[in-house]
Amino acid sequence: MEEYVSVGTYNNHVSVSFDVEVPKVMALGEKLYALCPDAYMNGYNWDALLRYYLEKHEPDILKGLDPDPEAGSYVAIWPLSPENEARAKRFAEIIRSLVEHEEELCRLVQEEGGEIEWD
C-alpha cells in the first residue's frame, strides 16, 4: 500500500502529513470534484473538507491543531504532548480510513458540499 499519510515529531511538535498528489488520493479528489465543482482537491480544499469532517465527527482532534495546507500537501501540526500525539495518530487513521473507504467522503461532498468553506 502506498504511504500517503504519516505522523512525525520535530522541534516540540507532532504532525500529520498527507500527500494529496499520490495517484490514489488524486483519483479520489477527481471523484469529489465531479460531485461538487468547488471541491478542487488541492491541499487547501483537503484542509476545508477535513476540518468540516472533524467538526462534525471528531471535534477533539481540532484542539490545538494548526493546519499548514499547500497546493500538493496538507500538514496538521500540534504542540508536542501525549494527548496531541494521540490526536495525531487518530487523525492519520481517520484520513487513511476515508481514503481507503471513500464512500463516506463522496456522500458527504455530494450531500453537504455546499456547506463546506472551500478555498
Side-chain angles (χ1 to χ4, degrees):
M1 174 171 46
E2 52 191 338
E3 190 56 36
Y4 47 83
V5 64
S6 61
V7 176
T9 58
Y10 182 74
N11 281 350
N12 295 318
H13 291 92
V14 60
S15 64
V16 173
S17 298
F18 180 33
D19 183 353
V20 303
E21 291 186 332
V22 299
K24 182 178 194 79
V25 178
M26 291 288 288
L28 174 55
E30 290 172 12
K31 289 178 184 179
L32 298 175
Y33 179 67
L35 295 170
C36 177
D38 292 329
Y40 177 77
M41 298 314 292
N42 58 20
Y44 300 99
N45 274 342
W46 276 107
D47 177 42
L49 178 57
L50 291 169
R51 181 177 300 275
Y52 183 85
Y53 180 88
L54 292 174
E55 286 172 355
K56 293 191 116 202
H57 301 283
E58 297 276 349
D60 180 67
I61 291 174
L62 292 168
K63 289 181 183 173
L65 184 148
D66 182 19
D68 184 16
E70 299 293 336
S73 67
Y74 168 82
V75 179
I77 304 165
W78 296 263
L80 185 59
S81 72
E83 296 83 12
N84 287 338
E85 284 183 292
R87 284 182 179 102
K89 288 176 185 174
R90 177 73 184 122
F91 190 28
E93 286 306 313
I94 288 168
I95 293 171
R96 275 190 199 96
S97 179
L98 290 171
V99 171
E100 296 301 321
H101 306 96
E102 62 190 44
E103 305 81 20
E104 183 170 359
L105 272 185
C106 288
R107 181 205 54 77
L108 180 76
V109 168
Q110 187 169 25
E111 294 176 7
E112 301 175 43
E115 298 174 32
I116 298 171
E117 293 185 35
W118 303 105
D119 178 53

